[in-house]
Structure formats: C-alpha cells, structure tokens
Amino acid sequence: FIHAVIAEHYLNGGFYPEGGAATIAKSIQEIVETRSGRFLLNHEVSEILLEGRKAIGVRVRLTNGSTETYYAPEIYSDAGAQTTFLKLLPPTVRLPFRKDLEDEKPGCSCVTLYVGLKHDPSSLGIHGQNFWIYTDWDHDDIFRKRNEVVEGRPSSCYLSFPSKKDPKAVSHTAEIIALVDHEPFQRWSDLPWKNRCPEYAELKKKISEGLVRLVDSQVPGFSSIIAYQELSTPLTVEHFTGHPGGQIYGFPATPGRLRKDYLTARTPIKNLCLVGADVGGHGIVGAMIGGILGVAAKHGLSLLWRVMHGKMHPTTT
C-alpha cells in the first residue's frame, strides 16, 4: 500500500518547492508568528514534563549547555514514537507497548553526498530527472550488500539534481544517496559532530569516492563538474533528528508497522499527541498528514475535513 501511494505520486510527475525545502518551514513560520507563536531553533527537547499521567510542558537544552522549561496545555511530538516514549518520557512511566518499542530494530539509514557543481549539468543530459542506479537486476541481493558502500563499493544509489527542479536556484547542486545501516559507524557515535577523528574522515572520503565512481559509470563526466562535496552519515542524521540509529523514515514500512495500534496520534499520556511520519506515513506528505491527524485527534475530525478542503478560517488559531 505504501509503495503504491509513492508510485502513484510520481505517475503524473513529482513536485518541488520553489526556493528549496526551507521555504516550507518559512511559510509555516509566518502563520505561526502572526498568531503569537514562536519558532525556537537550537532548543533540543530533553524531557517531556509530567504531572501524574498528564503532560504539562517540556524541558529543553540549549547549545551552551543551559536548560529552559516551557509549559503548555497541549504537547505535540514530532520526534518519532521511539524517541518520544523511550527517551523523552521518564522511564518509570508505564506503557503497555514499551517492550515492543524497545525490541523494534531501527529502520534503514543512509549516506548522502551533497555536491556543488561548477556549472549547469545540462551538458551531461541532465534536465531535472532523478536516477536510480543499480549494478544488478537482483534488488534483494543489492539491499543485502548495502553496507559495502562503507568499503567504497556501492551497488546502488539515488541521484538527484535539486537545482534543476527549482527555478529560483542561483547555483547548481546534486545529491547522491545510498542506503546503509548505522552499525558500521557505531564506534564513532560518542564523538562530537564535525570533530570525530581522522579515521572517520578517511572513511567518509572512501565512501564519497565510491559514490562518485558509481554515478560516473552511468552519467559520464559527472565527476569533472564537481566543485565541492560533503558527506553525511547515519551519525549525522541521528545528530540532527534524534532518530535512533539515524533512521530516515521512522518506523520501517513493514506489515508489522501497520499492526502497531500505538502508532496513532492519541497516546496513553493525557495532553500528549504524536504527529509526523510515524502517525501519517513516510516522507514529506506522510509527515504533513501526521500533523493534521494529531491536531484533529485533539480538536475533532471536522478539523481534518476543513484542512483537506481548504476551509480553514483566516483567524483560526
């Protein structure tokens, strides 16, 4: 079902936000701030505060190490079910599904090579299309070999050119993504971001070179137009999102996921709702639907109907 939804989305062509993904957040920020809301960047939520079985606020950690506390009548968590229930709530809170959450293996993560290009890649026949590059027809075998990317031998990757999709782009970029597990990077997980160690830097270099070689084999000349490149790993994903194991899509899209009745907006904790991809489904649209479902669970399903039909009143808060 999930794969069918994704495939259907592309049948009539995909969509890309003009100005890049950051414009989505900026447009939402304007709406929130006109209603006295605030966006607080670099405020890492470290704990959901409880009064009995009722959520009453959050404690956040700032980049300088200090903490602040915020209280609210409603708490919505987009951190994912595992992080919300196992990390942000006190371990003494009784949850009927705690063991199931603890036993759940992290979903897949990835390495991403972010590339700045010297000039327009149209000379290579690039017009904004995406590439799925495979070295074999046996995709199951390729998935089993996903961790060979760490040895500089990727057997598949996804190649995209965001700047060719964005009419407002002022320079040209590309992204190369390959699936990989968190485990090969585990030994460096306790070291600080941007300063892990020379061995980790050499590993990233080997991975980057392997990805570029694979792309070059299908898009000849790609390496010759690279001006800049930087690689992220599952540790990067985990650092910026807090997702266990650096998983990129929340709970894996398996039949078992769809049977987990706790992956809903309502939680056993009063005034605490889950939102995002673990509630609504994978990807940007799934996360968006998860947000709507979270608010609708608290304020009635009529809200869901109004949002989907564009019936929200301008003064609605």
Side-chain angles (χ1 to χ4, degrees):
F1 167 75
I2 291 175
H3 178 72
V5 169
I6 296 171
E8 195 277 335
H9 165 76
Y10 279 104
L11 290 180
N12 296 315
F15 299 86
Y16 191 88
E18 291 188 8
T23 59
I24 298 175
K26 289 178 181 177
S27 65
I28 296 171
Q29 182 175 358
E30 293 174 0
I31 298 171
V32 170
E33 291 181 343
T34 58
R35 290 159 174 79
S36 302
R38 286 191 294 163
F39 273 38
L40 301 176
L41 303 181
N42 298 316
H43 285 57
E44 179 187 358
V45 176
S46 58
E47 181 183 359
I48 295 174
L49 304 177
L50 300 181
E51 192 176 75
R53 297 280 293 183
K54 180 173 69 174
I56 59 172
V58 296
R59 181 170 290 115
V60 304
R61 183 167 46 242
L62 308 185
T63 53
N64 62 7
S66 63
T67 62
E68 293 179 354
T69 301
Y70 296 90
Y71 295 95
E74 298 173 15
I75 309 295
Y76 296 86
S77 175
D78 189 28
Q82 288 176 303
T83 298
T84 300
F85 291 122
L86 301 182
K87 181 180 178 181
L88 300 183
L89 288 177
T92 54
V93 174
R94 296 185 60 184
L95 298 168
F97 46 80
R98 179 180 294 277
K99 183 65 165 60
D100 189 62
L101 270 178
E102 292 174 339
D103 292 343
E104 182 70 31
K105 295 181 179 179
C108 201
S109 190
C110 70
V111 289
T112 301
L113 187 65
Y114 300 93
V115 181
L117 303 175
K118 297 177 182 177
H119 53 72
D120 191 329
S122 297
S123 59
L124 304 180
I126 306 301
H127 305 292
Q129 69 271 41
N130 300 328
F131 294 78
W132 287 95
I133 300 174
Y134 295 93
T135 56
D136 197 298
W137 291 103
D138 189 342
H139 290 194
D140 289 330
D141 187 53
I142 280 179
F143 184 70
R144 284 190 290 270
K145 296 177 179 177
R146 61 191 178 278
N147 288 337
E148 291 184 4
V149 68
V150 177
E151 303 299 326
R153 300 193 307 273
S155 52
S156 68
C157 73
Y158 167 78
L159 171 65
S160 178
F161 295 84
S163 61
K164 294 297 292 182
K165 300 174 174 66
D166 186 358
K168 294 185 178 179
V170 296
S171 57
H172 288 283
T173 61
E175 295 175 356
I176 309 172
I177 303 174
L179 298 178
V180 70
D181 292 334
H182 181 271
E183 192 276 332
F185 304 88
Q186 182 67 42
R187 75 184 83 170
W188 298 288
S189 61
D190 293 331
L191 298 177
W193 174 65
K194 280 289 187 180
N195 190 29
R196 297 197 191 274
C197 69
E199 183 185 10
Y200 179 73
E202 281 299 312
L203 176 65
K204 291 175 65 174
K205 181 181 178 181
K206 179 189 292 187
I207 294 171
S208 301
E209 291 172 347
L211 292 172
V212 171
R213 277 196 304 270
L214 178 57
V215 169
D216 247 355
S217 71
Q218 299 300 317
V219 186
F222 176 80
S223 60
S224 67
I225 66 171
I226 294 177
Y228 174 84
Q229 62 185 41
E230 184 171 357
L231 187 83
S232 68
T233 73
L235 301 185
T236 318
V237 179
E238 190 171 36
H239 173 81
F240 283 104
T241 67
H243 295 170
Q247 55 190 3
I248 53 176
Y249 280 123
F251 267 78
T254 64
R257 169 203 167 106
L258 301 179
R259 298 190 184 103
K260 297 182 185 299
D261 56 9
Y262 55 81
L263 292 182
T264 61
R266 297 184 183 277
T267 75
I269 307 300
K270 187 177 180 180
N271 297 340
L272 173 64
C273 287
L274 283 183
V275 296
D278 279 0
V279 175
H282 297 81
I284 294 173
V285 175
M288 178 186 69
I289 295 298
I292 297 171
L293 290 173
V295 180
K298 188 70 177 178
H299 296 277
L301 290 177
S302 63
L303 175 69
L304 177 62
W305 183 91
R306 286 187 287 145
V307 170
M308 299 303 291
H309 289 81
K311 301 293 186 180
M312 294 300 292
H313 191 276
T315 60
T316 298
T317 57

